[in-house]
Amino acid sequence: MAGHQIAAAKPVKLDEIGDWSVLKLEILKKYASAYSAILHGQHRFHHMYIDGFAGAGHHIIKKTRELVAGSPLNALHIEPPFKELHLIDLDSAKVSELNRLTQQMSHVTVYGGDANKILLSEVFPKVKYEDYRRALCILDPYGMQLDWRVLAAAAKSQTIEIFLNFPIMDMNRNVLLWNGDNADPNDIARMTAIWGDDSWRQACYVETRDLFGGVGYEKQANSQVAEAFRQRLIKVAGFKHVPQPVAMRNKNRAIVYYLFFAAQRPVAGSIVKQIFDGYRNKGLL
Ligand SMILES: C[S@@+](CC[C@H](N)C(=O)[O-])C[C@H]1O[C@@H](n2cnc3c(N)ncnc32)[C@H](O)[C@@H]1O
């Protein structure tokens, strides 16, 4: 899709993306291709692609001003193809753009609204184990817009694998302040919603004592926050295979997100681990 011209029917402000987003798109595309090939080869399965925070379908690369496909368009062009695609976004201009890009594609459904509600009430119920339906679901919010119940429902279904872009920078900036206080109650509520309960207060801070025995709290390192969340995906949500996530860094090398993958099938976990390790070993992440 890179570089081609698309005449927009309705003005949509495309997101401008940096290098780390390009890597994220590459990783998602690699796994989606492997997933689709495997499921397609096992003829009884009806495999689906779900994008909860789909975006407009394409983006502009900040450095080069090049137009590139976003996660939903990449998924649409995967061979062998997904049998169904379900794309959700809250922004109505992006939803119009997704509709325009997918018109006359009867296997694609576009939804406008809050992914947390639409996934739980309309999309996940379509992925029934006994109907041999299976799905790869991408959860890529800008920040803490995701509700833990979506992750729990995906794990419980036994049919839905997820990639989650875990928004550590939004958490650090707005909630995980060094002294643990002073955060806005709305931000605290968003943190509790994505974490699933308020156990993040224990998981993300460590108790300290000063020379006089006074008790204080310090934020844990990002890697420890990510590991605590990985343990929740396994122990609380019930995913069996959750490889170590990869850190996605901005141009200042600060960690913006951790890209997590969670699934029930061992083969899924090992394919993603291999993909993640490939990027780590090349020093790209
Ligand atoms: C990081 S972008 C997604 C980019 C896309 N995954 C890609 O790589 O091409 C996040 C998107 O989430 C949408 N969004 C924010 N809150 C949402 C919500 N509650 N439900 C659905 N979409 C939401 C935004 O409008 C935005 O388009």
Side-chain angles (χ1 to χ4, degrees):
M1 293 301 295
H4 77 170
Q5 288 297 313
I6 296 168
K10 185 173 178 222
V12 56
K13 194 172 168 346
L14 296 183
D15 288 351
E16 298 193 1
I17 62 171
D19 292 345
W20 69 264
S21 290
V22 174
L23 287 178
K24 169 196 78 183
L25 288 166
E26 261 181 47
I27 292 173
L28 298 180
K29 195 157 92 177
K30 271 194 183 146
Y31 182 69
S33 298
Y35 179 86
S36 192
I38 292 170
L39 275 276
H40 184 85
Q42 299 175 11
H43 297 290
R44 64 184 185 283
F45 288 119
H46 181 93
H47 68 298
M48 301 155 67
Y49 173 87
I50 301 169
D51 209 324
F53 299 78
H58 36 224
H59 312 288
I60 308 280
I61 296 188
K62 234 181 254 164
K63 262 197 222 155
T64 60
R65 313 306 301 162
E66 192 184 358
L67 185 67
V68 286
S71 52
L73 278 201
N74 279 338
L76 258 175
H77 291 105
I78 276 167
E79 288 292 339
F82 284 93
K83 302 256 169 57
E84 275 179 41
L85 292 92
H86 296 267
L87 314 177
I88 307 166
D89 205 278
L90 189 58
D91 178 321
S92 59
K94 288 178 174 162
V95 171
S96 307
E97 186 63 358
L98 285 173
N99 274 319
R100 188 182 74 79
L101 292 166
T102 59
Q103 59 194 328
Q104 286 160 6
M105 296 183 188
S106 56
H107 66 311
V108 181
T109 310
V110 176
Y111 308 76
D114 180 3
N116 297 303
K117 293 199 181 108
I118 295 169
L119 288 171
L120 292 177
S121 65
E122 293 184 56
V123 183
F124 285 1
K126 295 184 201 300
V127 199
K128 290 210 170 63
Y129 190 88
E130 59 275 22
D131 295 341
Y132 295 100
R133 287 174 172 247
R134 300 292 185 267
L136 173 63
C137 175
I138 312 296
L139 300 166
D140 179 21
Y142 286 140
M144 294 180 280
Q145 283 92 34
L146 179 70
D147 189 312
W148 169 265
R149 282 173 288 193
V150 170
L151 299 168
K156 192 167 171 217
S157 74
Q158 304 283 317
T159 55
I160 302 169
E161 301 181 355
I162 57 130
F163 273 104
L164 162 65
N165 226 357
F166 180 77
I168 190 79
M169 191 172 266
D170 186 16
M171 293 173 175
N172 284 340
R173 284 198 174 148
N174 295 304
V175 184
L176 304 178
L177 309 166
W178 278 102
N179 60 9
D181 294 329
N182 306 329
D184 183 306
N186 290 324
D187 291 326
I188 290 177
R190 292 193 303 136
M191 182 74 195
T192 300
I194 191 169
W195 198 269
D197 59 30
D198 67 2
S199 63
W200 57 268
R201 292 177 188 279
Q202 290 82 49
C204 302
Y205 289 93
V206 61
E207 198 177 288
T208 57
R209 287 191 187 262
D210 64 23
L211 286 176
F212 310 102
V215 177
Y217 293 92
E218 263 184 24
K219 204 214 114 188
Q220 296 269 29
N222 285 338
S223 56
Q224 278 161 313
V225 173
E227 179 54 23
F229 195 75
R230 193 175 82 86
Q231 291 302 325
R232 279 185 68 75
L233 287 171
I234 298 168
K235 293 183 185 148
V236 185
F239 283 108
K240 291 197 183 72
H241 299 276
V242 185
Q244 299 284 343
V246 279
M248 314 295 303
R249 296 168 191 273
N250 64 15
K251 63 178 188 307
N252 304 318
R253 303 291 299 153
I255 300 175
V256 193
Y257 297 94
Y258 280 96
L259 186 61
F260 277 93
F261 175 76
Q264 305 296 5
R265 298 176 310 139
V267 64
S270 45
I271 294 172
V272 170
K273 183 179 176 307
Q274 242 179 15
I275 297 175
F276 282 178
D277 286 348
Y279 281 85
R280 279 196 200 98
N281 296 342
K282 279 191 230 150
L284 290 169
L285 292 167

